[in-house]
Amino acid sequence: MRVLYLLNISNPDRLSADSGWIFADLLAPALVDAGAEVTVAAPAAAGDARCGFHRTKVPGTKYRARFSADIDELVALIRAERPDVVVANQVEEAPAIRTAMLEAGSDALLAGYCHYLPFSFTDGGQLLLDPSLNDTGLGRPVLLAFAAGLAACDRVMVHSSTAASWVSAAAARMTVDLGDRLRVVPAPRDERLVRDPAARPAAGGAIGVYNHRLYAHYGTEQFVDLARDLVASGTVRLRVMDLFGQRRAERKGLDDSPEKMRDKLAALPHVQVVSDRGDRVRYKNLLAGARFGIAPFRPGCPWSMSVIDCQGMGLPVISPRLGWLAEHIDPELCFTTPAEAVALAERLATDDEFHAVHAKRAHASTADFTPALVAARYLEAIS
């Protein structure tokens, strides 16, 4: 099977902060191991030397990634690669890709991977536009482009059962019949970030780690408020990851909330803001020195690679009851109020038996996400 993997990268200057690139970098070699021929078309190479690579332009903004597909380039690429399967990691581009396949005379299967959903649903069934894709009212055009992408795909892949439910509901509202085209294929864990759950963090106090991107739409303002409560007693200290470093002016122009949130957090007592500098070894060491992780407050969360990173390292993760987080994280570690979160954090910090039980559960929850197992599910989905 020849797979052409079309990958949008929003953070080419800090690939370690781009979960879509990390996913492709882990998955592509596993697909090759399973017998596929893989070519990645992206602004930066992903996979290993056995994978083909076609360099594409950086889209500039997240909106250009959804509305400015180069059909001429796609036609030439499809004719050159002659794929059996084309994977659209940016679902909104699927209609343009289908057009290019028509012009190229390709009968390949078109699979869309819903890496990022431009919407979420409340418990009451209300559809909410993702605020990160709603600048100047663009949220609804993005949603409609997403629906058009679903309609253009032969297969639609999502990370989780929560994402499957949301995508199905959104499609139905926009009269897109998914039929039997929807598949749940989780993202792979990074085997470099796997550790025996019995391992203990280095001496120096009970540290809770927050390793998520600091966008406002991740609910970071709520985390800032919670951080004040978590460190108030002195039992817990916090380590906050600055995953972006210095961002390009175009990205800051659209959303400067990561810089603002970073400064707010850095000003709090007992909160350490650190950078992994794009170094995966340093990132692992920063996680290894923590006692537990903290999930984001992002309502439209169909998956979190940062949560999986913590769990693979044997770090229990406390979480608000939201989206996929409530589906995946142990119910004992989910909270509704700040007081519940503080109680959980302090118990994980001081109760070794409670911590050990949840460290084992956290580690075990990632066992089905090895690259080999995910690649097998991926190939089954696109066969």
Side-chain angles (χ1 to χ4, degrees), residues 238-270:
L238 296 180
R239 175 172 293 162
V240 175
M241 299 289 220
D242 173 20
L243 298 174
F244 284 141
Q246 294 299 316
R247 296 189 303 150
R248 289 179 289 120
E250 298 94 331
R251 291 180 61 76
K252 285 194 286 187
L254 276 179
D255 185 352
D256 63 355
S257 62
E259 287 75 20
K260 291 180 177 177
M261 297 299 171
R262 181 180 62 196
D263 292 345
K264 285 186 177 182
L265 288 161
L268 296 178
H270 309 300

Side-chain angles (χ1 to χ4, degrees), residues 69-145:
D70 187 332
I71 294 181
D72 288 336
E73 181 183 33
L74 288 169
V75 170
L77 182 58
I78 291 166
R79 283 175 174 162
E81 293 296 327
R82 294 178 291 107
D84 301 303
V85 178
V86 179
V87 176
N89 201 57
Q90 194 73 62
V91 171
E92 293 90 340
E93 288 193 327
I97 297 167
R98 178 66 80 185
T99 300
M101 290 168 62
L102 175 66
E103 291 188 19
S106 172
D107 61 356
L109 180 142
L110 176 55
Y113 199 95
C114 300
H115 186 73
Y116 195 102
L117 303 182
F119 58 87
S120 61
F121 282 90
T122 66
D123 290 340
Q126 180 186 3
L127 187 149
L128 302 176
L129 297 175
D130 190 306
S132 74
L133 290 166
N134 198 24
D135 296 284
T136 65
L138 278 166
R140 189 153 298 279
V142 170
L143 177 63
L144 294 172

